[in-house]
Amino acid sequence: MTVRDGLTTAFRVPRRAPAPASFTRAGRHTRRTAARRLPALWRGRVGDPRWVRPALLALLIGTAVLYLWDLGATGYANTYYAAAVQAGTQSWRAWLFGSMDASNFITVDKPPAALWVMGLSGRIFGFNAWSMLAPQALMGVATVGLLYATVRRWSGPGAGLLAGAALALTPVAVLMFRFNNPDALLVLCLVAAAYAVVRAVDAAATRAGVWWTALAGALIGLGFLTKMLQAFLVLPALAAVILLASAAPLRRRLVQLAAGAGALVASVGWYVLLVDLWPSDARPYIGGSTDNTLLDLVLGYNGLGRLLGGEGNGGGGGGGSSTGFGGTAGIGRMFNSAFGGQISWLLPAALVALVAGLWLTRREPRTDRTRAALVLWGGWMIVTGLVFSVMGGTIHPYYAVALAPGLVGTLGVGGREVWRRRDHPAAGVALALTVAATAGWSVVLLRRTPEFLPWLRWVVAVAGIVAAVALLVPAGTWQRLGRDAGRRVLPVVLLGALLGGAGGSVAYAVQTAATAHQGSIVGAGPATGSAMGGGPGGGQGGPGGGQPPAGQAPPDGGGQGGGQGGGPGEAATSSELTTLLTAADSRWAAATVSAQSASGLELASGTAVMAIGGFTGSDAAPSLAQFQAYVAAGDVHWFVASGGQGGGPGGGEDSVGTQISEWVAAHYSATDVGGTTVYDLTQPSS
């Protein structure tokens, strides 16, 4: 009897209350159905090996634990973005534009999409470190799950699990998914766009293919609203997959690409138009721009400036060096002391897997899905890696998190294909070479931090050698030794490959999760002791790195739990200064030079603080005349002296910060409040 028949019978009992569901046939059927749901969730898809779904659930739960564990210890992480998140919980206009303060003086120097997510979380749960960082961690779990789903569609669950686990345990990914920089949302958008492209290729013969491509374009657009042109680095790979692997006629493929391009433009254009058409006197100044427009920020400071260097972006000389953060530009940058421990553990293996996979699939038809996957993930890895390597402007090692999905996706797909054909002599050599190269490079990276688990490099080296030698032995040799010999050797080979290939990366990932990271310049893993080049623990300065924020002591453990001194961490503002700012009833409780200085004051007091000159104090906002007008109107109560020579970090002698600081010192009396010099702008000196 069906459920419907059972319910009808139950309700036809005259003048009696319906029997409880547990006593009806329908109830028994419902309970049996509910009882099947949990096992079905555990078993997974029909036809999958029994280990697939439990392994996936273990991966996602393990990732969540790794990213969420003791998350509150990080505090406000990067106070520059934390202050903007706080402002977004106090003012919807600040939330919309990504303003540094609730009174909307100046924005952060990035688009606000990541701030939108954290700001909404703060409005729902109340603003604190956990409500700000938890969405970032959950984005990491979602990214790992989406990467698994994307790789799985064309290369199977084994490749998907390998790629997902490798991403979850990439040190720079652990860092960024536990931090409040925009990179977490950027990577989620890019992986989601890759998933949409895979679905578009599978549905190329239907209208769904066009809609999936449009969705991919919209997701790239959201990535642009997160971190601008960096989101476009994956476009060549995504477009190449549709053009080369789709079974649809060329005309339909071009229509798909046009739909994706149109969706991308629309998803970006609405916000660019909104900002640039909004009256400039009714919105905040666009931080990082030279003319108060978002377009200038896109093409200048966050565009060509990042690639070519120049004013505000470092580079422009020094023998090809860009800044002290990322080391010398060149093909080897991803392996240097700044980037190596962040991302490059599996890079040799991914490069070998890409070459081997493309060779093994060279005779396959145009629409071959394995080769298409290699084009997708390999193209992502090669283009992103090359751009990061040659950038002449400001680049930080944590940018490498955008390279991670392409790298691990290539490794998962290529590694699976080589393993599947391991009986072929060339595949066996490729496997052995992959394991040996990865283990050898891991030893090199571990030697850069000699005090961190010094025994681990020996374990990695021995495991890599054993696994590589075993992989060189032809499969027929093991068969001749007996059926049980092969079964016994395979686990040893796999264990050796895992230890040799991932032992160092996993250790760095766990160390990263166990360390509180704060400041604007952060890195994963233990300190390398590099003085320059942006390596973790390098003690580099950079924007805001040379001076402590106004009202704060020098950051303790700025980037690496004590290893880095770049940018402000969550240092304490004196209670006296906090009380002073909290009591102010003006539009801005105070003004200070640079957002680096203003952010700590805002977070401590919960008030709006004018960040003169933006991030480093070098933006031309406000002019001296504008600031004088604000003071005359009573909009600013206090001026808090920054740690620099009046101009603040990055200000310079001719900066607006220097001009305003000198004018304030000449017309107002200085007062010491909790060890900080402040000026009461409501009481001119006689």
Side-chain angles (χ1 to χ4, degrees):
M1 179 179 292
T2 65
V3 174
R4 183 176 180 181
D5 291 337
L7 288 173
T8 302
T9 302
F11 281 103
R12 282 181 179 174
V13 178
R15 296 183 182 181
R16 295 175 62 183
S22 58
F23 294 104
T24 66
R25 296 183 180 182
R28 287 194 294 272
H29 181 85
T30 302
R31 283 187 289 111
R32 285 196 301 268
T33 301
R36 291 193 188 102
R37 288 175 182 167
L38 184 59
L41 175 67
W42 184 253
R43 285 196 308 270
R45 298 184 181 184
V46 176
D48 273 355
R50 299 186 65 173
W51 53 265
V52 172
R53 183 53 61 88
L56 174 60
L57 294 176
L59 171 62
L60 297 179
I61 293 172
T63 303
V65 171
L66 181 66
Y67 291 175
L68 289 167
W69 186 265
D70 201 22
L71 191 61
T74 299
Y76 287 132
N78 189 339
T79 57
Y80 177 62
Y81 293 115
V85 173
Q86 182 189 64
T89 64
Q90 298 169 342
S91 163
W92 282 113
R93 185 174 298 183
W95 177 83
L96 175 64
F97 290 108
S99 298
M100 273 297 303
D101 65 272
S103 292
N104 292 287
F105 172 67
I106 195 168
T107 70
V108 298
D109 59 2
K110 298 291 186 298
L115 301 177
W116 291 342
V117 177
M118 292 183 283
L120 288 176
S121 176
R123 282 184 174 269
I124 295 171
F125 300 106
F127 174 71
N128 54 56
W130 180 267
S131 69
M132 178 180 66
L133 295 175
Q136 305 289 92
L138 295 178
M139 287 178 199
V141 178
T143 301
V144 169
L146 266 176
L147 180 67
Y148 162 81
T150 309
V151 173
R152 180 214 163 94
R153 286 193 69 87
W154 287 351
S155 301
L161 288 169
L162 174 60
L167 177 63
L169 293 169
T170 298
V172 72
V174 177
L175 173 68
M176 283 293 100
F177 287 125
R178 292 173 57 90
F179 208 67
N180 61 338
N181 278 21
D183 302 76
L185 180 58
L186 171 69
V187 175
L188 175 60
C189 290
L190 299 186
V191 173
Y195 177 80
V197 164
V198 168
R199 296 297 302 267
V201 172
D202 286 342
T206 66
R207 289 185 178 179
V210 176
W211 287 110
W212 279 112
T213 310
L215 176 60
L219 288 166
I220 296 296
L222 180 58
F224 179 93
L225 295 182
T226 304
K227 215 172 177 192
M228 292 195 170
L229 294 177
Q230 189 177 338
F232 289 177
L233 295 181
V234 302
L235 285 178
L238 301 186
V241 169
I242 293 176
L243 281 175
L244 299 177
S246 174
L250 178 60
R251 180 179 178 181
R252 191 172 189 87
R253 282 177 268 161
L254 294 176
V255 169
Q256 281 185 263
L257 289 178
L264 191 159
V265 171
S267 62
V268 170
W270 75 270
Y271 189 75
V272 175
L273 290 175
L274 173 72
V275 173
D276 286 348
L277 293 179
W278 199 291
S280 59
D281 58 353
R283 62 161 172 79
Y285 184 93
I286 304 303
S289 70
T290 59
D291 61 359
N292 196 17
T293 65
L294 191 62
L295 187 61
D296 177 78
L297 183 63
V298 172
L299 299 178
Y301 176 73
N302 280 334
L304 295 179
R306 298 279 172 168
L307 290 175
L308 305 178
E311 185 175 353
N313 249 303
S321 175
S322 60
T323 67
F325 308 134
T328 302
I331 197 66
R333 176 183 269 174
M334 294 299 103
F335 299 94
N336 69 14
S337 62
F339 282 90
Q342 313 296 301
I343 189 64
S344 71
W345 298 89
L346 298 175
L347 187 51
L351 292 172
V352 174
L354 176 61
V355 173
L358 291 175
W359 173 259
L360 292 172
T361 59
R362 67 192 184 281
R363 292 192 176 94
E364 301 298 330
R366 177 180 64 82
T367 57
D368 178 66
R369 291 296 188 259
T370 298
R371 187 170 58 213
L374 289 170
V375 170
L376 172 61
W377 302 113
W380 179 327
M381 175 179 67
I382 295 298
V383 172
T384 303
L386 285 177
V387 171
F388 284 171
S389 296
V390 302
M391 280 175 60
T394 300
I395 181 171
H396 295 283
Y398 61 76
Y399 289 6
V401 68
L403 173 63
L407 190 159
V408 299
T410 302
L411 181 63
V413 174
R416 175 256 186 187
E417 186 63 16
V418 175
W419 178 260
R420 188 172 68 88
R421 305 193 191 193
R422 62 188 179 277
D423 290 338
H424 191 286
V429 172
L431 281 172
L433 180 61
T434 299
V435 172
T438 304
W441 179 241
S442 295
V443 171
V444 172
L445 291 175
L446 289 170
R447 283 174 60 87
R448 293 178 179 175
T449 54
E451 296 182 359
F452 176 70
L453 302 180
W455 53 266
L456 182 59
R457 74 191 74 158
W458 298 106
V459 174
V460 168
V462 172
I465 292 172
V466 170
V469 171
L471 288 169
L472 284 174
V473 177
T477 302
W478 298 116
Q479 293 174 358
R480 285 193 293 272
L481 292 175
R483 182 180 302 176
D484 291 339
R487 293 177 180 175
R488 292 170 183 166
V489 169
L490 182 60
V492 175
V493 173
L494 291 177
L495 179 61
L498 287 174
L499 285 174
S505 178
V506 171
Y508 265 50
V510 173
Q511 192 276 346
T512 300
T515 304
H517 294 82
Q518 294 156 352
S520 59
I521 306 171
V522 291
T528 62
S530 169
M532 289 296 289
Q540 61 271 38
Q547 304 292 344
Q552 299 186 16
D556 180 15
Q560 288 283 85
Q564 263 179 265
E570 192 188 348
T573 298
S574 68
S575 59
E576 296 90 344
L577 183 56
T578 300
T579 301
L580 195 72
L581 297 180
T582 305
D585 59 358
S586 52
R587 182 179 177 185
W588 290 281
T592 190
V593 177
S594 91
Q596 297 279 60
S597 298
S599 59
L601 300 174
E602 288 189 13
L603 291 169
S605 65
T607 61
V609 177
M610 179 184 290
I612 297 171
F615 178 59
T616 63
S618 59
D619 290 351
S623 67
L624 176 58
Q626 289 172 328
F627 184 77
Q628 290 170 339
Y630 284 132
V631 172
D635 289 335
V636 187
H637 193 144
W638 302 97
F639 181 84
V640 182
S642 63
Q645 292 279 328
E653 295 182 358
D654 297 328
S655 70
V656 294
T658 300
Q659 296 172 22
I660 291 173
S661 297
E662 292 176 349
W663 176 78
V664 169
H667 293 84
Y668 298 88
S669 299
T671 303
D672 182 273
V673 178
T676 302
T677 301
V678 300
Y679 299 83
D680 186 351
L681 300 181
T682 66
Q683 299 293 329
S685 59
S686 55

